[in-house]
Amino acid sequence: NAGVTQTPKFRVLKTGQSMTLLCAQDMNHEYMYWYRQDPGMGLRLIHYSVGEGTTAKGEVPDGYNVSRLKKQNFLLGLESAAPSQTSVYFCASSPRRGPQHFGDGTRLSIL
Amino acid sequence: QKEVEQDPGPLSVPEGAIVSLNCTYSNSAFQYFMWYRQYSRKGPELLMYTYSSGNKEDGRFTAQVDKSSKYISLFIRDSQPSDSATYLCAMSVISNFGNEKLTFGTGTRLTIIP
């Protein structure tokens, strides 16, 4: 059982470039989430989805977009990467009532 | 002031010792309380999940919630080197959509010395 899978695991971008991070879950969970983790800041919610075709903003949404075209996938996009977006990005999923399960993260550096 | 406060450590204890990890919070609307363990270069892994005040035990781990004092703890008995990790507390409220919105502590880095 793979759980939550994130691709890619590592990426280096130049300022202004765009990219998409992919999250896939095989637990048939309704809800999916994108977080970023920075030293001293903890995990902060970027965007989340409560179902296919539905997304909502979290605590730090600026500079990011998301899409959930299929229940099992949740994509996080950076349209014009900035050095402040250098971070470790985690995807999570959960059932309607229950704890969130996390992937192993994507380490993103913006030069 | 952060909604959830957690001592970042680092905390080093000898193998076999009892470990106590703590978080305080200010939002009385928090309903669910969790502890996650995070190994280096890995995602957070759920350890304990509880709703009510009191103690919940799972093997060597005990989670304690005191809603009146807005304080939660995680105790690890007979600590092992494999327990060396960063421990994150998390608390949640139910959003308008019905899902849980988590607020995390910054994590405590724990090292168990053989």
Side-chain angles (χ1 to χ4, degrees), chain A residues 10 31 33 35 37 40-43 45 48 50 54 56-58 90 96-105 107, chain B residues 2 32 34 36 38 40-46 49 88 94-107:
Chain A
F10 307 95
Y31 304 138
Y33 311 82
Y35 293 88
Q37 187 175 39
M41 302 293 291
L43 282 155
L45 184 64
Y48 64 101
V50 297
T54 303
K57 294 180 180 180
F90 288 100
R96 284 188 181 272
R97 288 294 173 93
Q100 294 179 24
H101 300 265
F102 286 79
D104 280 339
R107 281 155 185 80
Chain B
K2 293 181 180 178
Y32 296 88
M34 287 137 276
Y36 284 85
Q38 187 175 21
S40 180
R41 297 190 170 274
K42 290 291 187 180
E45 170 193 5
L46 182 70
Y49 179 76
L88 307 169
I94 303 300
S95 79
N96 293 335
F97 291 110
N99 64 306
E100 292 187 39
K101 292 186 69 176
L102 296 185
T103 302
F104 285 87
T106 53

Side-chain angles (χ1 to χ4, degrees), chain B residues 22-96:
Chain B
N22 310 296
C23 287
T24 59
Y25 63 96
S26 57
N27 187 352
S28 57
F30 287 136
Q31 296 173 280
Y32 296 88
F33 304 88
M34 287 137 276
W35 286 95
Y36 284 85
R37 177 176 62 196
Q38 187 175 21
Y39 291 115
S40 180
R41 297 190 170 274
K42 290 291 187 180
E45 170 193 5
L46 182 70
L47 277 179
M48 303 290 280
Y49 179 76
T50 185
Y51 172 73
S52 58
S53 284
N55 293 350
K56 180 177 181 179
E57 189 173 318
D58 184 359
R60 296 185 295 111
F61 299 90
T62 299
Q64 186 176 80
V65 175
D66 183 346
K67 289 186 177 181
S68 62
S69 300
K70 297 188 178 66
Y71 188 91
I72 70 170
S73 299
L74 178 70
F75 299 97
I76 306 174
R77 292 184 300 280
D78 187 25
S79 56
Q80 304 294 311
S82 58
D83 295 328
S84 298
T86 297
Y87 289 80
L88 307 169
C89 64
M91 306 168 192
S92 68
V93 294
I94 303 300
S95 79
N96 293 335

Side-chain angles (χ1 to χ4, degrees), chain A residues 11 13 18 24 26 32 40 54 64 69 73 92 100 104 107 109:
Chain A
R11 187 72 183 269
L13 289 179
S18 63
D26 61 4
M32 297 187 74
T54 303
Y64 305 95
L69 301 179
N73 296 336
Q100 294 179 24
D104 280 339
R107 281 155 185 80
S109 292

Side-chain angles (χ1 to χ4, degrees), chain A residues 50-63:
Chain A
V50 297
E52 193 175 309
T54 303
T55 63
K57 294 180 180 180
E59 181 185 355
V60 288
D62 294 341

